[in-house]
Amino acid sequence: MLRIEEIYPLLTNQSRRAVIIMHQKPDADAMGSSLGLFHFLRQLGHQPTVISPTNWAEWLRWMPGCDDVIDYEFNTEKAIGVLDKAEWVFCLDFNTMSRTRHMAARLRKLPATRILIDHHQQPEVECFAYGVSNTAKSSTSEMIYDLIVGSGHADKINRDIAECLYAGVMTDTGSFRFPGASADVHRMVSVLKDTGINHTRIHENLFDNFLENRLRFTGYVLQNRMEIFYEYNAALIAIPWKDLVRYEIKTGDTEGLVNYPLSIQGIKMAALIIDRDEEVKCSFRSKGSFDVNVFARTYFEGGGHVNAAGGRSTDTLDHTVQRFIQALKENSSQLQ
Ligand code: 5GP
Ligand code: MN
């Protein structure tokens, strides 16, 4: 994989058909970084299209350009048509092709030049011609900002770009709370703010934009589905499929739920295991040195970051929960 800087001269030498893709069920960083890059490439005269492997949460729809994003699962033929003609495919906010779900096999075979921009651990670098992978970065949105400034185009950062990148960096840093919220991040935010963005509205769009059922569901699962393992300083929320049906839970409605147990004194690791019918999805969060990336990789075919990772299981929910508890036992000393 060649360094991302090698494509900087190519950004302005001719117009290209570029596709920008992100991980399945994109969060605000995946969508924000993709749309930020989309608006930037358009200004440089390229013809970019954003494709998401799956649908995304309703509360991301306010982002400028979001209405033009193609859902690969919903609109497969259109997406394939665009992908087949692409000269560049930018892969944002994921480290392994499997994170693009049904797109993965097609992506591997495309003749287009693949470019990685990501901040997750252990990327599949052999799949990319160019790229940058930096786990020290707060968010992929910060890395798009670095690309724009590093390639000499800071003047192109307009309000649309700023709104998208702000949403990504703010959510991936837990509203500027996590260690990734460096001085550089705050300097970047000051530049984004100078474009005239209304950051209060962005926070409201992202956090005060849900339906009643979501809050009732949160209350229900915290009361009925949360288990605390004080001996391991850990907690688990395990949600059966029937709860998702009962509360009419949609894509994105469970985001953030995994963080609640970390607000309990002494809890260093939290897990959310959800039976999504087609698969059992796991999310892990930690505080301090317990590495949930390694944990997710070792036990649940997943990965991510030191303090935030995810994975999956093909077992039943009950069996996955038993495996999780066994995994806690095996990690008991690191959790003390
Ligand atoms: P979440 O728990 O919010 O789904 O994901 C937490 C972090 O782990 C995110 O950065 C996400 O990209 C990553 N992640 C989630 N699920 C998986 C997975 O199945 N495999 C890998 N490699 N990373 C994941
Ligand atoms: Mn991210």
Side-chain angles (χ1 to χ4, degrees):
M1 185 170 86
L2 295 169
R3 295 169 63 231
I4 191 79
E5 286 80 2
E6 306 278 338
I7 72 154
Y8 292 174
L10 310 178
L11 286 172
T12 44
N13 72 346
Q14 70 178 76
S15 168
R16 285 183 169 81
R17 287 182 300 277
V19 168
I20 304 164
I21 59 171
M22 71 292 255
H23 59 75
Q24 62 155 316
K25 303 283 174 189
D27 57 5
D29 185 37
M31 188 60 91
S33 58
S34 297
L35 288 172
L37 179 61
F38 167 81
H39 293 298
F40 173 60
L41 291 178
R42 267 247 285 242
Q43 285 191 64
L44 293 183
H46 298 289
Q47 303 142 61
T49 307
V50 181
I51 301 178
S52 168
T54 65
N55 67 350
W56 54 90
E58 277 298 312
W59 41 266
L60 293 175
R61 294 211 178 269
W62 61 271
M63 283 191 188
C66 198
D67 286 344
D68 295 326
V69 176
I70 301 174
D71 173 347
Y72 184 87
E73 265 182 358
F74 185 74
N75 217 336
T76 311
E77 264 179 44
K78 185 174 177 192
I80 288 174
V82 176
L83 273 170
D84 284 347
K85 290 204 199 86
E87 295 159 83
W88 278 344
V89 177
F90 286 91
C91 298
L92 268 50
D93 203 37
F94 65 87
N95 50 355
T96 60
M97 287 295 181
S98 62
R99 297 278 289 136
T100 64
R101 209 173 191 176
H102 302 309
M103 280 175 84
R106 181 166 291 272
L107 283 174
R108 285 183 197 280
K109 282 195 236 127
L110 279 183
T113 303
R114 287 184 295 260
I115 304 156
L116 174 75
I117 303 175
D118 179 50
H119 66 138
H120 294 89
Q121 310 249 348
Q122 291 131 297
E124 240 178 307
V125 284
E126 62 280 9
C127 296
F128 302 95
Y130 299 91
V132 53
S133 161
N134 187 349
T135 57
K137 285 290 167 183
S138 63
S139 54
T140 304
S141 296
E142 183 189 357
M143 300 173 82
I144 295 300
Y145 176 84
D146 292 346
L147 177 141
I148 297 173
V149 174
S151 62
H153 297 288
D155 58 309
K156 297 282 189 295
I157 299 174
N158 59 16
R159 221 165 109 164
D160 284 350
I161 292 179
E163 285 188 343
C164 295
L165 298 186
Y166 182 87
V169 70
M170 184 266 283
T171 50
D172 258 30
T173 57
S175 305
F176 307 106
R177 165 183 179 167
F178 302 145
S182 60
D184 278 345
V185 162
H186 287 280
R187 274 187 283 269
M188 166 179 101
V189 168
S190 78
V191 172
L192 301 181
K193 188 69 190 140
D194 276 340
T195 66
I197 61 169
N198 181 342
H199 70 275
T200 307
R201 213 190 59 226
I202 295 176
H203 285 251
E204 286 167 0
N205 284 339
L206 289 167
F207 300 125
D208 301 341
N209 201 5
F210 307 125
L211 302 179
E212 178 185 339
N213 66 322
R214 187 194 202 247
L215 199 56
R216 302 254 177 227
F217 169 77
T218 303
Y220 178 82
V221 297
L222 290 181
Q223 177 71 25
N224 298 290
R225 306 294 186 203
M226 183 173 70
E227 197 174 344
I228 313 294
F229 303 90
Y230 285 104
E231 65 275 40
Y232 306 122
N233 300 310
L236 166 68
I237 301 174
I239 303 180
W241 171 246
K242 66 172 192 242
D243 290 3
L244 303 184
V245 175
R246 176 175 166 190
Y247 284 91
E248 297 178 35
I249 290 306
K250 303 264 176 347
T251 300
D253 278 346
T254 54
E255 197 157 314
L257 204 49
V258 64
N259 294 307
Y260 281 95
L262 289 179
S263 65
I264 300 170
Q265 249 177 31
I267 297 301
K268 293 180 185 160
M269 191 266 213
L272 173 68
I273 304 182
I274 305 179
D275 181 356
R276 290 205 181 279
D277 206 20
E278 80 264 29
E279 67 172 0
V280 173
K281 180 79 184 92
C282 310
S283 285
F284 306 104
R285 298 290 185 275
S286 67
K287 277 182 180 170
S289 60
F290 187 74
D291 189 338
V292 286
N293 168 50
V294 171
F295 186 87
R297 263 172 206 281
T298 310
Y299 300 101
F300 297 99
E301 303 167 41
H305 314 279
V306 173
N307 295 125
R312 60 181 49 79
S313 161
T314 46
D315 291 332
T316 62
L317 181 65
D318 286 347
H319 197 201
T320 308
V321 167
Q322 290 316 312
R323 285 211 289 120
F324 171 74
I325 295 171
Q326 180 58 33
L328 283 185
K329 280 190 191 138
E330 290 172 22
N331 284 268
S332 170
S333 58
Q334 289 101 296
L335 283 162
Q336 296 313 308

